[in-house]
Amino acid sequence: MSKKTDSNSYTIIFAIIMVVVVGSLLAFTASSLKPNIKENERMEKQQNILYAMGINDNTEGSITFVSTDVVGEVFSKNISEQIVLEIKDGKILKEMNRDEFMAANNNKEPYLIDIKKEQTKAKNGKSRFLPLFKGEQDGKTVYVAPIRGKGLWDAIWGYVALDKDMIVRGTFFDHAGETPGLGANIKQRYFMDDFYGERLLTEAGVFKGITVAKGNNDPKNEDKDDYEVDALAGATITGDGVSAMIKKDLRLYLPYFQNLKN
């Protein structure tokens, strides 16, 4: 006589119970960790914005963010204004400060705006939000804008600090899954530092962007009027992705910077 535990019904019931138990445990764990995940997201975005502004704990050749212990305080001290632009079809529909945006969006901080979701809204013909963070660098006003695009394997993103003339004053780039030693090097300091001083606009005020150029004739990036930085070896597609997201996303801010001069 076979044991009850050898029956198909027992196996199915046992499997169902295990799925329910494991699923419940995972759901409980995810729920318990959610506040920590949100807090880590908050600190990481603040660190990245500050890094693009040049506020970090870097030593020679290193990348060291402002410590998580103080990043909230440093962010509040150095970001004088959080601006949110609502745009559609390249036109600014509304400009909001932090308090106005939070009041209309369930008390959500502007730096927590999901750029991917905003890009999807625009693709669907809806208006989208563009956050912009205002601070100072060496006594001059800078504006930090988030950008997001596609690399070789997955998403790439970053923050670019600009002055009123849309000249780059700092960058931070990151990725979800680019190749180590190749495309993943977009988050290396030597690559990010190359963008400092590069121009996005021609002398006539036409937006041109910056190209990560293979075979650039200025490998040390000393020429800041060529709208190019040197490409990463073996990472052409990732470099093209960086070029594309800079041109696509930063172009959206052009009307705001044009208004600064009016």
Side-chain angles (χ1 to χ4, degrees):
M1 181 181 296
S2 63
K3 297 179 182 179
K4 290 183 178 180
T5 54
D6 293 332
S7 67
N8 289 335
S9 60
Y10 177 88
T11 302
I12 294 171
I13 293 171
F14 179 78
I16 292 173
I17 292 173
M18 288 303 296
V19 168
V20 171
V21 170
V22 172
S24 298
L25 287 173
L26 289 174
F28 174 77
T29 301
S31 178
S32 300
L33 292 176
K34 191 172 182 179
N36 290 336
I37 293 172
K38 289 292 184 182
E39 180 66 4
N40 289 337
E41 178 187 12
R42 177 189 70 80
M43 292 188 294
E44 182 180 6
K45 290 196 173 188
Q46 289 179 337
Q47 287 174 323
N48 293 349
I49 292 167
L50 291 170
Y51 189 95
M53 286 180 61
I55 301 172
N56 50 61
D57 293 332
N58 284 355
T59 56
E60 186 67 29
S62 76
I63 292 179
T64 308
F65 298 106
V66 173
S67 169
T68 56
D69 295 337
V70 297
V71 67
E73 178 183 349
V74 175
F75 187 83
S76 297
K77 180 180 178 181
N78 288 277
I79 301 300
S80 59
E81 192 174 352
Q82 295 188 58
I83 302 160
V84 179
L85 309 174
E86 184 177 3
I87 71 160
K88 185 177 181 182
D89 299 328
K91 296 180 180 180
I92 298 175
L93 304 180
K94 184 188 294 186
E95 180 179 332
M96 293 170 278
N97 61 31
R98 173 178 177 266
D99 292 341
E100 290 170 335
F101 177 79
M102 291 179 69
N105 291 275
N106 299 316
N107 219 33
K108 183 177 183 178
E109 289 277 5
Y111 63 82
L112 293 176
I113 290 174
D114 189 324
I115 303 303
K116 181 180 180 180
K117 289 182 179 179
E118 296 305 313
Q119 290 176 337
T120 300
K121 285 166 58 177
K123 288 179 182 178
N124 293 332
K126 301 178 181 178
S127 65
R128 63 168 289 182
F129 294 130
L130 290 178
L132 193 61
F133 310 97
K134 184 178 178 181
E136 282 195 3
Q137 184 189 86
D138 300 327
K140 296 182 179 180
T141 301
V142 292
Y143 304 83
V144 181
I147 56 178
R148 184 181 178 88
K150 180 73 170 65
L152 174 60
W153 303 112
D154 210 326
I156 55 176
W157 59 89
Y159 293 89
V160 180
L162 304 167
D163 67 13
K164 62 181 178 60
D165 298 312
M166 297 193 85
I167 298 173
V168 177
R169 296 303 176 191
T171 62
F172 176 77
F173 299 122
D174 207 342
H175 65 93
E178 299 306 285
T179 307
L182 299 174
N185 286 346
I186 64 170
K187 65 182 298 184
Q188 292 298 316
R189 185 172 169 182
Y190 71 85
F191 179 71
M192 295 189 290
D193 287 352
D194 279 350
F195 287 81
Y196 186 88
E198 293 288 339
R199 298 176 178 274
L200 294 175
L201 306 180
T202 67
E203 289 186 5
V206 177
F207 186 93
K208 190 165 183 177
I210 301 169
T211 299
V212 180
K214 187 176 180 180
N216 182 15
N217 293 323
D218 179 33
K220 293 185 179 180
N221 289 297
E222 295 173 344
D223 183 357
K224 298 302 180 180
D225 296 316
D226 62 354
Y227 309 98
E228 292 184 350
V229 299
D230 202 35
L232 293 165
T236 300
I237 295 177
T238 306
D240 289 345
V242 173
S243 302
M245 71 177 177
I246 287 174
K247 294 175 181 179
K248 173 176 61 70
D249 286 359
L250 294 182
R251 184 189 299 272
L252 298 174
Y253 290 91
L254 182 58
Y256 176 84
F257 283 93
Q258 288 174 329
N259 289 338
L260 288 178
K261 297 182 178 183
N262 294 335

